[in-house]
PDB file of all heavy atoms in Angstrom:
ATOM      1  N   ILE D 113      67.244  14.414  20.827  1.00  0.00           N
ATOM      2  CA  ILE D 113      67.247  15.426  19.775  1.00  0.00           C
ATOM      3  C   ILE D 113      67.062  14.732  18.428  1.00  0.00           C
ATOM      4  O   ILE D 113      67.824  13.832  18.083  1.00  0.00           O
ATOM      5  CB  ILE D 113      68.551  16.246  19.769  1.00  0.00           C
ATOM      6  CG1 ILE D 113      68.692  17.005  21.093  1.00  0.00           C
ATOM      7  CG2 ILE D 113      68.572  17.219  18.597  1.00  0.00           C
ATOM      8  CD1 ILE D 113      69.961  17.834  21.202  1.00  0.00           C
ATOM      9  N   ALA D 114      66.048  15.153  17.684  1.00  0.00           N
ATOM     10  CA  ALA D 114      65.777  14.614  16.356  1.00  0.00           C
ATOM     11  C   ALA D 114      66.390  15.543  15.322  1.00  0.00           C
ATOM     12  O   ALA D 114      65.949  16.687  15.176  1.00  0.00           O
ATOM     13  CB  ALA D 114      64.281  14.485  16.129  1.00  0.00           C
ATOM     14  N   LEU D 115      67.386  15.059  14.601  1.00  0.00           N
ATOM     15  CA  LEU D 115      68.057  15.834  13.559  1.00  0.00           C
ATOM     16  C   LEU D 115      67.737  15.199  12.214  1.00  0.00           C
ATOM     17  O   LEU D 115      68.295  14.165  11.851  1.00  0.00           O
ATOM     18  CB  LEU D 115      69.569  15.845  13.806  1.00  0.00           C
ATOM     19  CG  LEU D 115      70.439  16.486  12.719  1.00  0.00           C
ATOM     20  CD1 LEU D 115      70.187  17.986  12.631  1.00  0.00           C
ATOM     21  CD2 LEU D 115      71.922  16.203  12.985  1.00  0.00           C
ATOM     22  N   GLY D 116      66.812  15.790  11.479  1.00  0.00           N
ATOM     23  CA  GLY D 116      66.449  15.209  10.197  1.00  0.00           C
ATOM     24  C   GLY D 116      65.057  15.626   9.763  1.00  0.00           C
ATOM     25  O   GLY D 116      64.516  16.643  10.212  1.00  0.00           O
ATOM     26  N   GLY D 117      64.461  14.817   8.902  1.00  0.00           N
ATOM     27  CA  GLY D 117      63.136  15.103   8.376  1.00  0.00           C
ATOM     28  C   GLY D 117      62.037  14.477   9.206  1.00  0.00           C
ATOM     29  O   GLY D 117      62.219  14.145  10.378  1.00  0.00           O
ATOM     30  N   GLY D 118      60.881  14.284   8.561  1.00  0.00           N
ATOM     31  CA  GLY D 118      59.714  13.819   9.291  1.00  0.00           C
ATOM     32  C   GLY D 118      59.850  12.424   9.869  1.00  0.00           C
ATOM     33  O   GLY D 118      59.336  12.154  10.962  1.00  0.00           O
ATOM     34  N   VAL D 119      60.530  11.524   9.167  1.00  0.00           N
ATOM     35  CA  VAL D 119      60.684  10.165   9.674  1.00  0.00           C
ATOM     36  C   VAL D 119      61.480  10.166  10.970  1.00  0.00           C
ATOM     37  O   VAL D 119      61.074   9.578  11.978  1.00  0.00           O
ATOM     38  CB  VAL D 119      61.358   9.264   8.616  1.00  0.00           C
ATOM     39  CG1 VAL D 119      61.735   7.912   9.212  1.00  0.00           C
ATOM     40  CG2 VAL D 119      60.424   9.064   7.423  1.00  0.00           C
ATOM     41  N   VAL D 120      62.612  10.836  10.967  1.00  0.00           N
ATOM     42  CA  VAL D 120      63.446  10.916  12.175  1.00  0.00           C
ATOM     43  C   VAL D 120      62.693  11.617  13.301  1.00  0.00           C
ATOM     44  O   VAL D 120      62.704  11.166  14.458  1.00  0.00           O
ATOM     45  CB  VAL D 120      64.767  11.652  11.870  1.00  0.00           C
ATOM     46  CG1 VAL D 120      65.499  12.009  13.154  1.00  0.00           C
ATOM     47  CG2 VAL D 120      65.660  10.783  10.990  1.00  0.00           C
ATOM     48  N   GLY D 121      62.021  12.712  12.986  1.00  0.00           N
ATOM     49  CA  GLY D 121      61.287  13.448  14.004  1.00  0.00           C
ATOM     50  C   GLY D 121      60.168  12.639  14.621  1.00  0.00           C
ATOM     51  O   GLY D 121      59.978  12.642  15.855  1.00  0.00           O
ATOM     52  N   ASP D 122      59.385  11.936  13.793  1.00  0.00           N
ATOM     53  CA  ASP D 122      58.283  11.127  14.310  1.00  0.00           C
ATOM     54  C   ASP D 122      58.796   9.977  15.169  1.00  0.00           C
ATOM     55  O   ASP D 122      58.226   9.659  16.219  1.00  0.00           O
ATOM     56  CB  ASP D 122      57.455  10.573  13.156  1.00  0.00           C
ATOM     57  CG  ASP D 122      56.527  11.608  12.543  1.00  0.00           C
ATOM     58  OD1 ASP D 122      56.565  12.780  12.977  1.00  0.00           O
ATOM     59  OD2 ASP D 122      55.762  11.255  11.626  1.00  0.00           O
ATOM     60  N   LEU D 123      59.877   9.334  14.726  1.00  0.00           N
ATOM     61  CA  LEU D 123      60.461   8.223  15.482  1.00  0.00           C
ATOM     62  C   LEU D 123      61.014   8.683  16.823  1.00  0.00           C
ATOM     63  O   LEU D 123      60.737   8.094  17.869  1.00  0.00           O
ATOM     64  CB  LEU D 123      61.590   7.589  14.670  1.00  0.00           C
ATOM     65  CG  LEU D 123      61.246   6.453  13.724  1.00  0.00           C
ATOM     66  CD1 LEU D 123      62.425   6.186  12.811  1.00  0.00           C
ATOM     67  CD2 LEU D 123      60.894   5.187  14.512  1.00  0.00           C
ATOM     68  N   ALA D 124      61.831   9.732  16.786  1.00  0.00           N
ATOM     69  CA  ALA D 124      62.457  10.222  18.012  1.00  0.00           C
ATOM     70  C   ALA D 124      61.406  10.735  18.988  1.00  0.00           C
ATOM     71  O   ALA D 124      61.512  10.521  20.199  1.00  0.00           O
ATOM     72  CB  ALA D 124      63.465  11.323  17.687  1.00  0.00           C
ATOM     73  N   GLY D 125      60.398  11.407  18.464  1.00  0.00           N
ATOM     74  CA  GLY D 125      59.328  11.892  19.332  1.00  0.00           C
ATOM     75  C   GLY D 125      58.545  10.760  19.960  1.00  0.00           C
ATOM     76  O   GLY D 125      58.155  10.829  21.135  1.00  0.00           O
ATOM     77  N   PHE D 126      58.296   9.708  19.187  1.00  0.00           N
ATOM     78  CA  PHE D 126      57.594   8.540  19.723  1.00  0.00           C
ATOM     79  C   PHE D 126      58.409   7.883  20.829  1.00  0.00           C
ATOM     80  O   PHE D 126      57.884   7.525  21.888  1.00  0.00           O
ATOM     81  CB  PHE D 126      57.317   7.551  18.595  1.00  0.00           C
ATOM     82  CG  PHE D 126      56.629   6.289  19.038  1.00  0.00           C
ATOM     83  CD1 PHE D 126      55.375   6.340  19.626  1.00  0.00           C
ATOM     84  CD2 PHE D 126      57.229   5.053  18.862  1.00  0.00           C
ATOM     85  CE1 PHE D 126      54.725   5.167  20.026  1.00  0.00           C
ATOM     86  CE2 PHE D 126      56.600   3.878  19.254  1.00  0.00           C
ATOM     87  CZ  PHE D 126      55.347   3.940  19.844  1.00  0.00           C
ATOM     88  N   ALA D 127      59.710   7.730  20.601  1.00  0.00           N
ATOM     89  CA  ALA D 127      60.576   7.157  21.636  1.00  0.00           C
ATOM     90  C   ALA D 127      60.587   8.037  22.882  1.00  0.00           C
ATOM     91  O   ALA D 127      60.546   7.540  24.008  1.00  0.00           O
ATOM     92  CB  ALA D 127      61.991   6.985  21.092  1.00  0.00           C
ATOM     93  N   ALA D 128      60.620   9.361  22.679  1.00  0.00           N
ATOM     94  CA  ALA D 128      60.617  10.281  23.819  1.00  0.00           C
ATOM     95  C   ALA D 128      59.315  10.192  24.596  1.00  0.00           C
ATOM     96  O   ALA D 128      59.301  10.302  25.826  1.00  0.00           O
ATOM     97  CB  ALA D 128      60.843  11.709  23.331  1.00  0.00           C
ATOM     98  N   ALA D 129      58.203   9.992  23.898  1.00  0.00           N
ATOM     99  CA  ALA D 129      56.912   9.871  24.570  1.00  0.00           C
ATOM    100  C   ALA D 129      56.834   8.608  25.412  1.00  0.00           C
ATOM    101  O   ALA D 129      56.198   8.589  26.474  1.00  0.00           O
ATOM    102  CB  ALA D 129      55.788   9.878  23.537  1.00  0.00           C
ATOM    103  N   CYS D 130      57.497   7.535  24.956  1.00  0.00           N
ATOM    104  CA  CYS D 130      57.406   6.243  25.626  1.00  0.00           C
ATOM    105  C   CYS D 130      58.460   6.028  26.704  1.00  0.00           C
ATOM    106  O   CYS D 130      58.202   5.353  27.709  1.00  0.00           O
ATOM    107  CB  CYS D 130      57.520   5.118  24.591  1.00  0.00           C
ATOM    108  SG  CYS D 130      56.205   5.084  23.365  1.00  0.00           S
ATOM    109  N   TRP D 131      59.663   6.579  26.495  1.00  0.00           N
ATOM    110  CA  TRP D 131      60.762   6.275  27.408  1.00  0.00           C
ATOM    111  C   TRP D 131      60.489   6.863  28.786  1.00  0.00           C
ATOM    112  O   TRP D 131      60.295   8.065  28.933  1.00  0.00           O
ATOM    113  CB  TRP D 131      62.078   6.824  26.866  1.00  0.00           C
ATOM    114  CG  TRP D 131      63.267   6.404  27.686  1.00  0.00           C
ATOM    115  CD1 TRP D 131      63.984   7.174  28.552  1.00  0.00           C
ATOM    116  CD2 TRP D 131      63.846   5.100  27.732  1.00  0.00           C
ATOM    117  NE1 TRP D 131      64.983   6.446  29.125  1.00  0.00           N
ATOM    118  CE2 TRP D 131      64.918   5.153  28.648  1.00  0.00           C
ATOM    119  CE3 TRP D 131      63.562   3.895  27.087  1.00  0.00           C
ATOM    120  CZ2 TRP D 131      65.703   4.047  28.925  1.00  0.00           C
ATOM    121  CZ3 TRP D 131      64.351   2.794  27.369  1.00  0.00           C
ATOM    122  CH2 TRP D 131      65.407   2.873  28.273  1.00  0.00           C
ATOM    123  N   MET D 132      60.435   5.984  29.792  1.00  0.00           N
ATOM    124  CA  MET D 132      60.131   6.395  31.165  1.00  0.00           C
ATOM    125  C   MET D 132      58.876   7.261  31.224  1.00  0.00           C
ATOM    126  O   MET D 132      58.766   8.188  32.013  1.00  0.00           O
ATOM    127  CB  MET D 132      61.327   7.118  31.789  1.00  0.00           C
ATOM    128  CG  MET D 132      62.532   6.230  31.959  1.00  0.00           C
ATOM    129  SD  MET D 132      63.863   7.026  32.887  1.00  0.00           S
ATOM    130  CE  MET D 132      65.020   5.654  33.011  1.00  0.00           C
ATOM    131  N   ARG D 133      57.928   6.951  30.306  1.00  0.00           N
ATOM    132  CA  ARG D 133      56.630   7.633  30.211  1.00  0.00           C
ATOM    133  C   ARG D 133      56.746   9.107  29.850  1.00  0.00           C
ATOM    134  O   ARG D 133      55.873   9.912  30.158  1.00  0.00           O
ATOM    135  CB  ARG D 133      55.829   7.460  31.503  1.00  0.00           C
ATOM    136  CG  ARG D 133      55.494   6.003  31.816  1.00  0.00           C
ATOM    137  CD  ARG D 133      54.557   5.879  33.007  1.00  0.00           C
ATOM    138  NE  ARG D 133      54.179   4.489  33.208  1.00  0.00           N
ATOM    139  CZ  ARG D 133      54.845   3.632  33.977  1.00  0.00           C
ATOM    140  NH1 ARG D 133      55.935   4.040  34.608  1.00  0.00           N
ATOM    141  NH2 ARG D 133      54.433   2.392  34.116  1.00  0.00           N
ATOM    142  N   GLY D 134      57.861   9.431  29.219  1.00  0.00           N
ATOM    143  CA  GLY D 134      57.966  10.774  28.683  1.00  0.00           C
ATOM    144  C   GLY D 134      59.210  11.519  29.103  1.00  0.00           C
ATOM    145  O   GLY D 134      59.388  11.835  30.275  1.00  0.00           O
ATOM    146  N   VAL D 135      60.096  11.778  28.121  1.00  0.00           N
ATOM    147  CA  VAL D 135      61.272  12.613  28.373  1.00  0.00           C
ATOM    148  C   VAL D 135      61.277  13.760  27.358  1.00  0.00           C
ATOM    149  O   VAL D 135      60.563  13.742  26.356  1.00  0.00           O
ATOM    150  CB  VAL D 135      62.588  11.806  28.258  1.00  0.00           C
ATOM    151  CG1 VAL D 135      62.659  10.726  29.318  1.00  0.00           C
ATOM    152  CG2 VAL D 135      62.760  11.208  26.861  1.00  0.00           C
ATOM    153  N   ARG D 136      62.094  14.734  27.643  1.00  0.00           N
ATOM    154  CA  ARG D 136      62.185  15.922  26.797  1.00  0.00           C
ATOM    155  C   ARG D 136      62.766  15.567  25.436  1.00  0.00           C
ATOM    156  O   ARG D 136      63.666  14.734  25.320  1.00  0.00           O
ATOM    157  CB  ARG D 136      63.090  16.952  27.486  1.00  0.00           C
ATOM    158  CG  ARG D 136      63.303  18.260  26.765  1.00  0.00           C
ATOM    159  CD  ARG D 136      64.384  19.076  27.445  1.00  0.00           C
ATOM    160  NE  ARG D 136      64.130  19.302  28.864  1.00  0.00           N
ATOM    161  CZ  ARG D 136      64.751  18.665  29.838  1.00  0.00           C
ATOM    162  NH1 ARG D 136      65.693  17.773  29.569  1.00  0.00           N
ATOM    163  NH2 ARG D 136      64.475  18.926  31.097  1.00  0.00           N
ATOM    164  N   PHE D 137      62.229  16.222  24.378  1.00  0.00           N
ATOM    165  CA  PHE D 137      62.898  16.077  23.088  1.00  0.00           C
ATOM    166  C   PHE D 137      62.844  17.383  22.312  1.00  0.00           C
ATOM    167  O   PHE D 137      62.021  18.260  22.581  1.00  0.00           O
ATOM    168  CB  PHE D 137      62.336  14.889  22.295  1.00  0.00           C
ATOM    169  CG  PHE D 137      61.159  15.156  21.406  1.00  0.00           C
ATOM    170  CD1 PHE D 137      61.307  15.137  20.028  1.00  0.00           C
ATOM    171  CD2 PHE D 137      59.901  15.381  21.936  1.00  0.00           C
ATOM    172  CE1 PHE D 137      60.213  15.340  19.187  1.00  0.00           C
ATOM    173  CE2 PHE D 137      58.804  15.582  21.102  1.00  0.00           C
ATOM    174  CZ  PHE D 137      58.968  15.566  19.725  1.00  0.00           C
ATOM    175  N   VAL D 138      63.792  17.481  21.397  1.00  0.00           N
ATOM    176  CA  VAL D 138      63.982  18.695  20.594  1.00  0.00           C
ATOM    177  C   VAL D 138      63.933  18.305  19.125  1.00  0.00           C
ATOM    178  O   VAL D 138      64.534  17.309  18.725  1.00  0.00           O
ATOM    179  CB  VAL D 138      65.340  19.357  20.924  1.00  0.00           C
ATOM    180  CG1 VAL D 138      65.650  20.490  19.954  1.00  0.00           C
ATOM    181  CG2 VAL D 138      65.338  19.864  22.360  1.00  0.00           C
ATOM    182  N   GLN D 139      63.222  19.081  18.343  1.00  0.00           N
ATOM    183  CA  GLN D 139      63.157  18.865  16.906  1.00  0.00           C
ATOM    184  C   GLN D 139      64.137  19.812  16.198  1.00  0.00           C
ATOM    185  O   GLN D 139      64.084  21.029  16.396  1.00  0.00           O
ATOM    186  CB  GLN D 139      61.743  19.139  16.395  1.00  0.00           C
ATOM    187  CG  GLN D 139      60.699  18.128  16.841  1.00  0.00           C
ATOM    188  CD  GLN D 139      60.579  16.954  15.880  1.00  0.00           C
ATOM    189  OE1 GLN D 139      61.503  16.641  15.120  1.00  0.00           O
ATOM    190  NE2 GLN D 139      59.442  16.286  15.904  1.00  0.00           N
ATOM    191  N   VAL D 140      65.006  19.234  15.383  1.00  0.00           N
ATOM    192  CA  VAL D 140      65.888  20.023  14.517  1.00  0.00           C
ATOM    193  C   VAL D 140      65.601  19.587  13.081  1.00  0.00           C
ATOM    194  O   VAL D 140      66.313  18.756  12.507  1.00  0.00           O
ATOM    195  CB  VAL D 140      67.376  19.826  14.869  1.00  0.00           C
ATOM    196  CG1 VAL D 140      68.246  20.781  14.039  1.00  0.00           C
ATOM    197  CG2 VAL D 140      67.619  20.068  16.361  1.00  0.00           C
ATOM    198  N   PRO D 141      64.529  20.100  12.480  1.00  0.00           N
ATOM    199  CA  PRO D 141      64.130  19.651  11.149  1.00  0.00           C
ATOM    200  C   PRO D 141      65.076  20.155  10.078  1.00  0.00           C
ATOM    201  O   PRO D 141      65.510  21.308  10.101  1.00  0.00           O
ATOM    202  CB  PRO D 141      62.734  20.252  10.980  1.00  0.00           C
ATOM    203  CG  PRO D 141      62.741  21.470  11.860  1.00  0.00           C
ATOM    204  CD  PRO D 141      63.604  21.107  13.034  1.00  0.00           C
ATOM    205  N   THR D 142      65.371  19.281   9.128  1.00  0.00           N
ATOM    206  CA  THR D 142      66.290  19.652   8.042  1.00  0.00           C
ATOM    207  C   THR D 142      65.622  19.560   6.681  1.00  0.00           C
ATOM    208  O   THR D 142      66.291  19.665   5.653  1.00  0.00           O
ATOM    209  CB  THR D 142      67.535  18.751   8.052  1.00  0.00           C
ATOM    210  OG1 THR D 142      67.125  17.384   7.912  1.00  0.00           O
ATOM    211  CG2 THR D 142      68.320  18.922   9.344  1.00  0.00           C
ATOM    212  N   THR D 143      64.305  19.345   6.653  1.00  0.00           N
ATOM    213  CA  THR D 143      63.541  19.384   5.407  1.00  0.00           C
ATOM    214  C   THR D 143      62.465  20.445   5.544  1.00  0.00           C
ATOM    215  O   THR D 143      62.010  20.752   6.653  1.00  0.00           O
ATOM    216  CB  THR D 143      62.880  18.037   5.071  1.00  0.00           C
ATOM    217  OG1 THR D 143      61.843  17.768   6.034  1.00  0.00           O
ATOM    218  CG2 THR D 143      63.885  16.908   5.077  1.00  0.00           C
ATOM    219  N   LEU D 144      62.031  20.980   4.429  1.00  0.00           N
ATOM    220  CA  LEU D 144      60.976  21.995   4.458  1.00  0.00           C
ATOM    221  C   LEU D 144      59.693  21.413   5.016  1.00  0.00           C
ATOM    222  O   LEU D 144      59.005  22.059   5.824  1.00  0.00           O
ATOM    223  CB  LEU D 144      60.749  22.544   3.049  1.00  0.00           C
ATOM    224  CG  LEU D 144      59.654  23.602   2.896  1.00  0.00           C
ATOM    225  CD1 LEU D 144      59.930  24.811   3.774  1.00  0.00           C
ATOM    226  CD2 LEU D 144      59.522  24.021   1.430  1.00  0.00           C
ATOM    227  N   LEU D 145      59.351  20.197   4.623  1.00  0.00           N
ATOM    228  CA  LEU D 145      58.118  19.586   5.107  1.00  0.00           C
ATOM    229  C   LEU D 145      58.130  19.444   6.625  1.00  0.00           C
ATOM    230  O   LEU D 145      57.133  19.732   7.301  1.00  0.00           O
ATOM    231  CB  LEU D 145      57.909  18.227   4.430  1.00  0.00           C
ATOM    232  CG  LEU D 145      56.529  17.595   4.611  1.00  0.00           C
ATOM    233  CD1 LEU D 145      56.142  16.801   3.363  1.00  0.00           C
ATOM    234  CD2 LEU D 145      56.505  16.669   5.828  1.00  0.00           C
ATOM    235  N   ALA D 146      59.243  19.006   7.174  1.00  0.00           N
ATOM    236  CA  ALA D 146      59.319  18.862   8.629  1.00  0.00           C
ATOM    237  C   ALA D 146      59.247  20.214   9.323  1.00  0.00           C
ATOM    238  O   ALA D 146      58.600  20.359  10.362  1.00  0.00           O
ATOM    239  CB  ALA D 146      60.602  18.135   9.015  1.00  0.00           C
ATOM    240  N   MET D 147      59.910  21.232   8.760  1.00  0.00           N
ATOM    241  CA  MET D 147      59.893  22.562   9.391  1.00  0.00           C
ATOM    242  C   MET D 147      58.486  23.121   9.527  1.00  0.00           C
ATOM    243  O   MET D 147      58.139  23.694  10.556  1.00  0.00           O
ATOM    244  CB  MET D 147      60.747  23.531   8.577  1.00  0.00           C
ATOM    245  CG  MET D 147      62.230  23.312   8.683  1.00  0.00           C
ATOM    246  SD  MET D 147      63.155  24.531   7.708  1.00  0.00           S
ATOM    247  CE  MET D 147      64.820  23.876   7.857  1.00  0.00           C
ATOM    248  N   VAL D 148      57.684  22.964   8.481  1.00  0.00           N
ATOM    249  CA  VAL D 148      56.381  23.623   8.477  1.00  0.00           C
ATOM    250  C   VAL D 148      55.266  22.717   8.975  1.00  0.00           C
ATOM    251  O   VAL D 148      54.148  23.181   9.194  1.00  0.00           O
ATOM    252  CB  VAL D 148      56.018  24.143   7.075  1.00  0.00           C
ATOM    253  CG1 VAL D 148      57.073  25.121   6.583  1.00  0.00           C
ATOM    254  CG2 VAL D 148      55.829  23.011   6.071  1.00  0.00           C
ATOM    255  N   ASP D 149      55.557  21.435   9.168  1.00  0.00           N
ATOM    256  CA  ASP D 149      54.471  20.537   9.540  1.00  0.00           C
ATOM    257  C   ASP D 149      54.843  19.572  10.656  1.00  0.00           C
ATOM    258  O   ASP D 149      54.487  19.773  11.801  1.00  0.00           O
ATOM    259  CB  ASP D 149      53.992  19.765   8.305  1.00  0.00           C
ATOM    260  CG  ASP D 149      52.769  18.919   8.588  1.00  0.00           C
ATOM    261  OD1 ASP D 149      51.757  19.481   9.037  1.00  0.00           O
ATOM    262  OD2 ASP D 149      52.819  17.692   8.378  1.00  0.00           O
ATOM    263  N   SER D 150      55.595  18.512  10.346  1.00  0.00           N
ATOM    264  CA  SER D 150      55.712  17.411  11.296  1.00  0.00           C
ATOM    265  C   SER D 150      56.495  17.748  12.554  1.00  0.00           C
ATOM    266  O   SER D 150      56.273  17.142  13.605  1.00  0.00           O
ATOM    267  CB  SER D 150      56.336  16.189  10.602  1.00  0.00           C
ATOM    268  OG  SER D 150      57.626  16.475  10.117  1.00  0.00           O
ATOM    269  N   ALA D 151      57.426  18.713  12.493  1.00  0.00           N
ATOM    270  CA  ALA D 151      58.229  19.034  13.676  1.00  0.00           C
ATOM    271  C   ALA D 151      57.462  19.870  14.689  1.00  0.00           C
ATOM    272  O   ALA D 151      57.891  19.986  15.843  1.00  0.00           O
ATOM    273  CB  ALA D 151      59.505  19.775  13.262  1.00  0.00           C
ATOM    274  N   VAL D 152      56.352  20.448  14.277  1.00  0.00           N
ATOM    275  CA  VAL D 152      55.569  21.338  15.146  1.00  0.00           C
ATOM    276  C   VAL D 152      54.237  20.684  15.463  1.00  0.00           C
ATOM    277  O   VAL D 152      53.542  20.224  14.553  1.00  0.00           O
ATOM    278  CB  VAL D 152      55.323  22.694  14.451  1.00  0.00           C
ATOM    279  CG1 VAL D 152      54.533  23.630  15.360  1.00  0.00           C
ATOM    280  CG2 VAL D 152      56.637  23.333  14.035  1.00  0.00           C
ATOM    281  N   GLY D 153      53.902  20.608  16.736  1.00  0.00           N
ATOM    282  CA  GLY D 153      52.571  20.132  17.087  1.00  0.00           C
ATOM    283  C   GLY D 153      52.502  18.861  17.890  1.00  0.00           C
ATOM    284  O   GLY D 153      51.439  18.501  18.398  1.00  0.00           O
ATOM    285  N   GLY D 154      53.613  18.129  18.010  1.00  0.00           N
ATOM    286  CA  GLY D 154      53.639  17.013  18.955  1.00  0.00           C
ATOM    287  C   GLY D 154      53.078  15.696  18.470  1.00  0.00           C
ATOM    288  O   GLY D 154      52.929  14.764  19.263  1.00  0.00           O
ATOM    289  N   LYS D 155      52.761  15.573  17.188  1.00  0.00           N
ATOM    290  CA  LYS D 155      52.341  14.262  16.683  1.00  0.00           C
ATOM    291  C   LYS D 155      53.581  13.400  16.467  1.00  0.00           C
ATOM    292  O   LYS D 155      54.508  13.800  15.767  1.00  0.00           O
ATOM    293  CB  LYS D 155      51.593  14.395  15.360  1.00  0.00           C
ATOM    294  CG  LYS D 155      50.139  14.774  15.493  1.00  0.00           C
ATOM    295  CD  LYS D 155      49.470  14.677  14.129  1.00  0.00           C
ATOM    296  CE  LYS D 155      48.004  14.964  14.201  1.00  0.00           C
ATOM    297  NZ  LYS D 155      47.350  14.839  12.872  1.00  0.00           N
ATOM    298  N   THR D 156      53.583  12.221  17.059  1.00  0.00           N
ATOM    299  CA  THR D 156      54.693  11.291  16.894  1.00  0.00           C
ATOM    300  C   THR D 156      54.120   9.923  16.547  1.00  0.00           C
ATOM    301  O   THR D 156      52.949   9.654  16.805  1.00  0.00           O
ATOM    302  CB  THR D 156      55.526  11.175  18.183  1.00  0.00           C
ATOM    303  OG1 THR D 156      54.784  10.401  19.156  1.00  0.00           O
ATOM    304  CG2 THR D 156      55.832  12.548  18.773  1.00  0.00           C
ATOM    305  N   GLY D 157      54.948   9.049  15.965  1.00  0.00           N
ATOM    306  CA  GLY D 157      54.425   7.726  15.704  1.00  0.00           C
ATOM    307  C   GLY D 157      55.201   6.958  14.668  1.00  0.00           C
ATOM    308  O   GLY D 157      56.184   7.442  14.102  1.00  0.00           O
ATOM    309  N   VAL D 158      54.725   5.733  14.428  1.00  0.00           N
ATOM    310  CA  VAL D 158      55.322   4.835  13.445  1.00  0.00           C
ATOM    311  C   VAL D 158      54.212   4.211  12.610  1.00  0.00           C
ATOM    312  O   VAL D 158      53.028   4.265  12.963  1.00  0.00           O
ATOM    313  CB  VAL D 158      56.163   3.730  14.118  1.00  0.00           C
ATOM    314  CG1 VAL D 158      57.347   4.337  14.867  1.00  0.00           C
ATOM    315  CG2 VAL D 158      55.306   2.889  15.060  1.00  0.00           C
TER     316      VAL D 158
END
């Protein structure tokens, strides 16, 4: 579960994509930018 803005969401999503080749993750965005953009759509990375 990613609780935070875009940095936390992108990091947690990237880890979820890699761990055991993919585990479930949940976005709990706490910034406006993350709510309307980075938390939706599945882009993850560093």
Side-chain angles (χ1 to χ4, degrees):
I113 298 179
L115 174 67
V119 171
V120 168
D122 283 3
L123 270 168
F126 178 61
C130 297
W131 187 254
M132 295 187 175
R133 298 187 176 90
V135 296
R136 180 189 305 104
F137 89 109
V138 171
Q139 291 271 23
V140 186
T142 58
T143 68
L144 179 58
L145 192 147
M147 287 181 187
V148 302
D149 186 57
S150 61
V152 181
K155 279 188 177 181
T156 74
V158 297

